[in-house]
Amino acid sequence: MNSRVNYFIKNTGIFLLGSFGSKFLSFLLLPVYTSILSTGQYGQVDLVTTTQGLLFPIAALSISEAIFRFVMNDEIDNKSVLSNGAITAFFSYVCTFFVACVINVFLKWEYMYWMLGLLASSMVYDILTNYLKANQNSKKYVAIGVLYTLINLSGNILFLVVFRLEVKGFLLALIFSYLMPSILIFFKEKIYKQIRVFYVDKKLAQRMLRYSLPLIFTSLSWWIVTSSDKYMLRYFMSNSDVGIYSIASKIPLILQTLISIFQTVWQISTNQIHDEEPEKLKENFVLFTRAFRQTGFIAGSALIVLTQPLMMILARNDFYGGWIYAPFLILSVTFSFSTGMVSTLYGAFEKNSGVLYSVLVGGGVNIILNAIMIPKIGIMGATVSTAVSRLIIAVYRLKDTERLLKFDREYGTVAINCFLITAQCCLLIYVRRIVYPVQTAIFIVICLYNREIFSKGIRYISNILGRNRIV
């Protein structure tokens, strides 16, 4: 087993530990949210966080991605990268703040200033944690993730359960969970000594912005794919429908977390991608891509089987009925798994335009399908639209990245997996009789079809145990 694989698996474990806490917390707190908040109130909460997600790449100029990319470049001074990024983000946020305040004079949205506070705290947290990751401070990253989790948990108990602040309590806990770890990083890592407030390297700033600006449009387009459904549901339906849809979307969050972790680790491990021998690079990339895809389809199938039991445990009151909308949302994330590792080629070769074009196409399809299907079949229309748009993005990226690195995309294997898991979704939603035997049977078929991941995993563990015995 080569060192690249060992490095990848080790860092995956570290980043999984760092990210798992906050994601697990979102599940742990679901019974609290669904017990205290109504479907309408949870819909309001989700619209605040969704709006923050829309404004985030605009206000931050996606500069944290540039910080992550350029800090890993040994030829560039880290202090200059951090300083340029932080100053750029600060002035961009100030402009966003004033524009939002002017708009709110006419809009009169009750939660505008809460959203702006959430936006500011999340921007600071994102910049600092990306700086930690780029410096490969893995243990510190894990510690910050644990701290975020503890503060969020404590804040939700205090503001929701004890003080019963409802929507404002939820947002207050979230803001504190971003702010407190950021303050710790700022002083513990002596960030104040690394940021040169009155010095800007114009050439470096321009280079960073050339890298990050296309990602703004990518993020906005991706927001259209993943979040515009909520605004369209609010327009055609109600806040309650948004709340139910939002709870259903928590289930596939498990898979989305795995995607983000694998992509982050792969980006770090291929920091010197252009310096590797082409054949060695291709060998490693094909290995990880196949394992990534197989893991995604198996995990997605397992999650579909567990959808109803999970919702029974996590959702209360009117929220439980939302389980029926989770399968197609799980399916949409599973489609992303089929190209998740391939998509990292865009960043490695600094060809981010490919990400933008694919998401623009998928986002456009999503909006059109939402406008057609939501008025006819409600929330289910939003979930189907999301799945179709993600499938289109996956196919586009598989084909488009052939110009960056030539290797077998295994289209036939991907197609068979997609067919099996789509059939599993449809059977769960529309065929209620003998549902669990059928679901289990399909899951077993998917596991057998992707059995290579199990054999390689067992072989890898055996090698580790063998080395330990020798020692």
Side-chain angles (χ1 to χ4, degrees):
M1 191 66 68
N2 63 49
S3 58
R4 175 74 73 182
V5 176
N6 292 328
Y7 182 83
F8 184 88
I9 293 175
K10 176 185 174 182
N11 279 280
T12 297
I14 291 172
F15 283 105
L16 180 62
L17 182 60
S19 300
F20 182 73
S22 60
K23 304 306 179 184
F24 177 73
L25 178 65
S26 66
F27 290 97
L28 185 66
L29 290 174
L30 277 181
V32 176
Y33 297 150
T34 55
S35 296
I36 294 176
L37 301 175
S38 66
T39 53
Q41 287 174 326
Y42 195 84
Q44 289 178 323
V45 163
D46 205 70
L47 286 176
V48 173
T49 56
T50 300
T51 304
Q52 178 262 342
L54 167 63
L55 293 180
F56 185 89
I58 300 173
L61 298 176
S62 293
I63 203 67
S64 64
E65 299 293 333
I67 291 174
F68 178 80
R69 179 70 177 83
F70 288 97
V71 164
M72 294 198 307
N73 189 329
D74 295 333
E75 299 176 358
I76 303 176
D77 178 36
N78 288 357
K79 292 182 180 180
S80 296
V81 174
L82 182 60
S83 299
N84 280 275
I87 293 169
T88 301
F90 173 77
F91 283 107
S92 179
Y93 175 78
V94 170
C95 294
T96 304
F97 180 88
F98 282 111
V99 171
C101 289
V102 171
I103 292 174
N104 205 45
V105 171
F106 306 96
L107 191 62
K108 293 181 170 50
W109 185 29
E110 179 184 0
Y111 298 105
M112 175 64 80
Y113 298 105
W114 287 93
M115 187 278 298
L116 289 171
L118 179 61
L119 177 62
S121 59
S122 61
M123 282 176 59
V124 174
Y125 181 85
D126 191 54
I127 288 173
L128 295 180
T129 52
N130 267 284
Y131 187 65
L132 280 181
K133 284 194 294 184
N135 280 300
Q136 301 187 43
N137 292 323
S138 303
K139 293 181 179 178
K140 292 178 181 178
Y141 176 79
V142 171
I144 290 300
V146 172
L147 180 61
Y148 171 94
T149 301
L150 293 175
I151 293 173
N152 201 349
L153 177 61
S154 303
N156 275 284
I157 293 173
L158 181 63
F159 299 128
L160 280 177
V161 179
V162 178
F163 293 123
R164 297 281 175 169
L165 295 180
E166 298 178 336
V167 174
K168 293 178 180 179
F170 180 102
L171 298 174
L172 199 58
L174 191 54
I175 290 171
F176 270 102
S177 65
Y178 282 129
L179 276 182
M180 301 306 291
S182 299
I183 292 172
L184 179 63
I185 296 173
F186 186 79
F187 288 102
K188 186 70 175 177
E189 299 300 309
K190 298 181 180 179
I191 300 297
Y192 52 87
K193 290 186 177 181
Q194 300 182 48
I195 295 179
R196 304 161 181 167
V197 178
F198 300 106
Y199 173 76
V200 176
D201 185 336
K202 292 183 180 179
K203 290 185 178 179
L204 177 59
Q206 290 172 356
R207 186 178 173 187
M208 290 175 69
L209 286 172
R210 279 197 301 270
Y211 179 86
S212 69
L213 287 178
L215 297 177
I216 297 176
F217 301 101
T218 302
S219 297
L220 291 177
S221 302
W222 194 245
W223 178 91
I224 292 173
V225 174
T226 58
S227 301
S228 63
D229 304 359
K230 298 169 185 177
Y231 283 95
M232 299 188 78
L233 279 171
R234 177 64 185 86
Y235 178 79
F236 289 113
M237 311 289 286
S238 67
N239 276 331
S240 294
D241 293 289
V242 175
I244 293 171
Y245 178 87
S246 300
I247 290 295
S249 65
K250 297 296 183 184
I251 303 297
L253 192 62
I254 299 172
L255 294 182
Q256 193 63 57
T257 301
L258 288 176
I259 290 178
S260 62
I261 290 170
F262 287 157
Q263 286 179 335
T264 298
V265 175
W266 178 253
Q267 283 175 327
I268 293 174
S269 67
T270 54
N271 181 26
Q272 304 297 332
I273 190 169
H274 296 293
D275 296 331
E276 290 201 31
E277 298 175 7
E279 290 306 314
K280 183 180 178 182
L281 170 62
K282 185 181 296 187
E283 179 185 347
N284 279 295
F285 191 81
V286 171
L287 171 67
F288 290 126
T289 299
R290 184 180 294 123
F292 186 78
R293 183 188 66 236
Q294 291 169 342
T295 300
F297 283 115
I298 292 170
S301 178
L303 201 54
I304 291 170
V305 173
L306 296 173
T307 293
Q308 277 185 278
L310 281 174
M311 287 294 281
M312 193 177 297
I313 295 170
L314 299 173
R316 299 287 185 271
N317 305 322
D318 296 335
F319 289 95
Y320 170 70
W323 75 264
I324 198 170
Y325 306 115
F328 276 117
L329 294 174
I330 296 171
L331 180 65
S332 68
V333 179
T334 305
F335 289 151
S336 295
F337 247 106
S338 64
T339 55
M341 199 68 77
V342 171
S343 299
T344 61
L345 287 174
Y346 289 120
F349 285 92
E350 297 189 32
K351 301 291 184 180
N352 288 325
S353 59
V355 179
L356 173 61
Y357 297 147
S358 65
V359 181
L360 279 174
V361 172
V365 170
N366 193 41
I367 289 179
I368 294 170
L369 290 179
N370 275 326
I372 295 171
M373 300 180 74
I374 290 178
K376 294 182 178 180
I377 56 176
I379 300 175
M380 190 62 74
T383 66
V384 173
S385 300
T386 299
V388 172
S389 62
R390 291 247 188 153
L391 176 61
I392 290 172
I393 291 171
V395 173
Y396 183 102
R397 290 181 177 179
L398 277 174
K399 191 66 180 175
D400 184 54
T401 51
E402 289 181 353
R403 62 190 172 88
L404 303 178
L405 188 66
K406 299 289 185 182
F407 68 95
D408 184 6
R409 261 58 176 181
E410 300 179 335
Y411 290 107
T413 302
V414 173
I416 291 172
N417 273 304
C418 288
F419 172 79
L420 288 171
I421 201 166
T422 302
Q424 185 181 1
C425 283
C426 294
L427 288 170
L428 178 61
I429 295 171
Y430 299 109
V431 181
R432 305 294 175 82
R433 297 179 181 178
I434 59 170
V435 62
Y436 286 110
V438 172
Q439 290 293 309
T440 304
I442 296 177
F443 171 68
I444 292 172
V445 170
I446 290 175
C447 287
L448 291 173
Y449 190 68
N450 296 280
R451 61 188 178 276
E452 180 187 14
I453 189 68
F454 295 109
S455 60
K456 288 190 174 181
I458 292 171
R459 194 180 311 130
Y460 178 72
I461 294 171
S462 298
N463 288 339
I464 293 176
L465 293 176
R467 287 198 299 269
N468 289 340
R469 280 196 295 269
I470 294 173
V471 173

